[in-house]
Amino acid sequence: MNLRRPNANDATGTTNRSRDVVPMSGICSRCVDGCKGSCEIWLSSFRGREVLYPGPFGEITAGADKDYPIDYSHLNIQGYARGAKGLPEGVEANPDTAVFQDVDTRTEYGWDVKVPMRVPIFTGALGSTEIARENWEHFAIGAAISGITLVCGENVCGVDPGLVLDHDGKVAESPEMDRRIESYRAFKDRYGELLVQLNVEDTRLGTAEYVSSKHNLETIELKWGQGAKCIGGEIKVGSLDRANQLKDRGYIVLPDPGVHEVRAAFKDGAVKEFERHSRLGFVTREEFLDEVDRLRDIGFKRVTLKTGAYSAVELAMAIRYGAEAKIDLLTIDGAPGGTGMSPWPMMNEWGIPTFYIESLAYQFAERLRQRSIRVPDIAIAGGFADEANVFKGIAMGSPYVKAVCMGRALMIPGMVGKNIAKWLETGEIPRTVSKYGSTVEEIFVCYEELKERYPGRIGEIPLGAIGIYTYAQKFRTGLQQIMAGSRNFSLKTVSRSDLMALTEEAEAVSGIPYVMRAYRDAAEAILDS
């Protein structure tokens, strides 16, 4: 079975001419001299490195589509006809008390100072990509009113056109970072938080010091990696001046805007955009522990870590060093990732897939537990988009996994709501929307609920934020139904025994019992009684 056919994909705007394609290479079975396109090899012949990236930049998000041998669809959720775990203390389980709408979907994370969330999901890192910047108010306010954590990703200060540096080259003013933090805080209640991510360049620029001193931010996140790529973060810029500005701020910019032939190619129109790249980090135990101590000395109450789909060695380092440092959350991002900009071949062909890396994480966490070493709270990420798979992710990693980090699935409702606002303004409402109504009140089922909850402020909430809230409400209801069916009325009672593996291969990887063996001893005991 071929798991992925390269050389043509909608993400890169390429297709095969032929109906028949060689599975391994992705080249047409009959490649014709004179072909007018447009597979990736064909397009690369004159557009070169541009073809590495999904596009157009700033207008799309992309998710790798390699079909791995095992994923969460190879698990099913157990259902029971008796019992009710996790009901409030003193409540007796019966048909009138064990109702799905009362299921508690709240979770929390943190070593000492906990952060509660209304549902066990939070956003992926929304950093310096154009799609994050343009949609920020929708994402930020949507996360705040939904009661979930929002991650402000890497390089936000570094790419801010309004950035002002002090005489030491550190951040003195960053209007973009200010906007991002203030947007979330305008509607934040006691659920969720905003945390800011640090990479190599952020550390050099003093981003942590800035967000702590100016905004009293309580949580900072160190970034080792992500699921979409195993190199640093990337964006594109469309002007020579902007490319040189980012180069002067210490970033790697390619092609190099300081080279004569590159400037000439840009003037000719051949080079249309420049790539800004972040540097690779280098992890050691001592430097990691020192950095966590430094951030706490700055004033942060919580320090979290995000790592990518690296080898089992780096995963073990993240869990073991995180335990030693007493970090507040470890987010493990498996392959394949979603992105605003990552190399398409790398997205599909690198890293440990989410199902496999979570299985390893559970095994490693259990090994530490057996040594009486406390494991930091964990969030799993990489391809999640619905409540059923989130339940599986939390159950499979129980009791260590407290939440799921979701990238594109939480961005889409924000963009949908934003676009509905544009369509309402122009009167060009597509049939897919207009069949539900022609006004905001008719289209958004949660509009009146939010209007009541925020008296006099509904006009401050953009429709993209309402879209995220509406999605979160659907997610919460669906999760409540699944949890009630598995007789879990609190997330704290969800466990690995609530899952079954549908294939023996999934059992071998995850340790979740194969369906024909799950609860077999208990079932036979009944038969033999």
Side-chain angles (χ1 to χ4, degrees), residues 120-181:
I121 55 175
F122 62 95
T123 74
L126 303 167
S128 56
T129 61
E130 183 63 17
I131 208 153
R133 185 201 64 79
E134 182 180 334
N135 294 286
W136 183 259
E137 278 80 9
H138 304 278
F139 298 154
I141 296 174
I145 64 178
S146 300
I148 61 176
T149 288
L150 173 69
V151 183
C152 179
E154 59 191 338
N155 296 312
V156 171
C157 289
V159 306
D160 184 355
L163 176 67
V164 176
L165 300 176
D166 63 18
H167 63 280
D168 294 320
K170 306 294 186 182
V171 179
E173 293 181 28
S174 177
E176 176 63 14
M177 180 62 80
D178 298 343
R179 176 181 78 97
R180 296 203 179 194
I181 294 173

Side-chain angles (χ1 to χ4, degrees), residues 423-486:
W423 297 328
L424 286 169
E425 186 176 341
T426 62
E428 299 175 352
I429 310 174
R431 175 60 185 157
T432 50
V433 177
S434 66
K435 66 181 181 179
Y436 299 103
S438 58
T439 66
V440 172
E441 294 84 352
E442 291 174 325
I443 293 168
F444 287 91
V445 297
C446 292
Y447 183 84
E448 293 296 340
E449 175 189 338
L450 290 170
K451 187 177 179 181
E452 182 75 17
R453 181 174 157 189
Y454 298 100
R457 299 189 68 191
I458 191 66
E460 301 172 38
I461 303 176
L463 292 191
I466 295 178
I468 291 173
Y469 178 83
T470 306
Y471 168 82
Q473 292 302 95
K474 171 263 179 185
F475 178 96
R476 178 174 179 268
T477 301
L479 183 59
Q480 286 177 312
Q481 293 169 340
I482 290 168
M483 289 174 63
S486 65

